[in-house]
Amino acid sequence: MKGQLIVRQAGNSVVTDLGRFRGPRYGLPVNGALDQYSARAANILVGNDENAPLVELTALDFRMTVTTDVLISVTGAPLTLTVSNRECPLWQPVSVAAGETVAIRGIHGGLRAYLAVHGSVDAPTLLGSCTPDTVVGFGLQLREGMVLETRCSLGPLRQPYFDMPLFRFGAERPPVGHELVVSVTDGPDFAEFGDSANLLFTSEYRVSPRSNHIGLRLGGRLPERTTTGEVLSRGVPVGAIEVPSREELLVLHRGRGVTAGYPVLAVATSLGLDVLAQARPGDTVHFVRTTVSEATIAYRRSMLELETLRKSVGTAFGLLGIPSPGGGQDLPAA
């Protein structure tokens, strides 16, 4: 049975998925959840496919009321999650009864959180993805009073003794904090910065309040390009670290355009981008040099963690007779 999620306080929230992977070939950014690990985990914890639509919350508080029984999970930055004023755990499935209000408050030690609902929610799609795109004006930005349709209902799941948590999957990640360590590989123009390129690894950078999902602007000691030739516009990857001026670094995030004409000093790894997704204005960033091989191994290790989590959730849900709307799929690591 379908139900509804009625938004009581929207904050800064959108419905998204892992990204529009068909977009770049048409000149559209991939976009999608900025903290991909947290978004994948949220969906896995409620038995969804990793790429199912979910709600991404940025910085501000959020409240909603449900009209049917649902199972939810909240991951990402540390925060306080309550269901009808009852505090509930993060990074675990949480049962919500019809008529109850879910509140997410006090995001801290990070910037973004992810709310997934068992069975997911209905959302319009463009090129196979519901992820918002500010350039073309597409996407579902939530507003107070808006109603999201849920795709299925699930009866209440409560531990009958002492009201203890029913699930303990151990999926929580360490808090990010306000000093971030981000792994990067050498960019195509690394050699053009000569010895000054190493400043990227020996200096600290501060996140500017002008940062957004398109790119993070970072102030600090900047490497200087030793060549003077013009850089032609070309395709740039998500995570490219550019030096567009003498004032700041620019780390291109998932909302970046597909081409640019600035020198690319380095490229943040997939896991490094997850860290940067939680960067708040004023946070300090330290870059650590790695190789493509090392970055690939680290990424595969994180995906193995999620696969182990999926198997644990699948086993528990199977024993409880909970249907799994999604079974996992391989997606690009864009």
Side-chain angles (χ1 to χ4, degrees), residues 66-79:
V66 303
T67 62
T68 56
D69 302 331
V70 296
L71 190 68
I72 69 168
S73 68
V74 176
T75 63
L79 52 83

Side-chain angles (χ1 to χ4, degrees), residues 126-163:
L126 173 65
L127 293 177
S129 171
C130 72
T131 188
D133 189 313
T134 56
V135 175
V136 299
F138 175 83
L140 199 54
Q141 176 87 36
L142 300 185
R143 306 293 182 197
E144 184 177 338
M146 187 175 287
V147 174
L148 292 177
E149 300 288 336
T150 60
R151 295 177 179 174
C152 64
S153 178
L154 185 66
L157 296 170
R158 299 288 292 276
Q159 222 276 3
Y161 302 104
F162 308 109
D163 201 27

Side-chain angles (χ1 to χ4, degrees), residues 12-21 23 28-34 36 51-58 112 114 123-143 146 148 213-214 253-256:
N12 185 7
S13 56
V14 298
V15 176
T16 190
D17 52 31
L18 294 182
R20 184 166 293 106
F21 298 104
L28 297 176
V30 67
N31 279 307
L34 265 66
Q36 294 268 296
N51 198 32
L54 78 171
V55 179
E56 180 180 67
L57 315 170
T58 302
R112 292 179 172 88
Y114 296 87
T125 61
L126 173 65
L127 293 177
S129 171
C130 72
T131 188
D133 189 313
T134 56
V135 175
V136 299
F138 175 83
L140 199 54
Q141 176 87 36
L142 300 185
R143 306 293 182 197
M146 187 175 287
L148 292 177
H213 68 289
I214 296 174
H253 221 306
R254 299 182 64 81
R256 66 56 173 125

Side-chain angles (χ1 to χ4, degrees), residues 81-92:
L81 168 66
T82 60
V83 176
S84 292
N85 298 318
R86 180 180 72 255
E87 189 163 348
C88 297
L90 306 177
W91 293 82
Q92 300 291 348

Side-chain angles (χ1 to χ4, degrees), residues 38-57:
S38 294
R40 291 176 189 265
N43 269 322
I44 288 172
L45 284 165
V46 291
N48 292 346
D49 187 277
E50 294 178 28
N51 198 32
L54 78 171
V55 179
E56 180 180 67
L57 315 170

Side-chain angles (χ1 to χ4, degrees), residues 179-296:
E179 292 198 10
L180 314 178
V181 178
V182 177
S183 296
V184 301
T185 60
D186 291 354
D189 306 314
F190 185 85
E192 295 186 12
F193 289 84
D195 292 340
S196 76
N198 289 318
L199 283 174
L200 185 68
F201 312 116
T202 59
S203 306
E204 67 176 30
Y205 297 90
R206 196 166 297 278
V207 179
S208 164
R210 295 193 298 137
S211 301
N212 55 28
H213 68 289
I214 296 174
L216 277 81
R217 299 179 182 274
L218 307 173
R221 297 179 65 195
L222 303 184
E224 294 188 15
R225 189 167 174 246
T226 57
T227 60
T228 57
E230 183 179 356
V231 178
L232 299 178
S233 291
R234 57 190 169 169
V236 290
V238 174
I241 300 177
E242 298 181 334
V243 188
S245 70
R246 294 188 177 183
E247 297 179 357
E248 59 190 6
L249 291 177
L250 178 61
V251 185
L252 300 183
H253 221 306
R254 299 182 64 81
R256 66 56 173 125
V258 296
T259 61
Y262 294 112
V264 177
L265 172 63
V267 179
T269 66
S270 294
L271 299 185
L273 283 169
D274 288 346
V275 174
L276 288 172
Q278 298 295 351
R280 303 176 71 93
D283 283 355
T284 299
V285 175
H286 298 269
F287 292 104
V288 176
R289 195 176 189 180
T290 189
T291 65
V292 172
S293 177
E294 292 169 338
T296 300

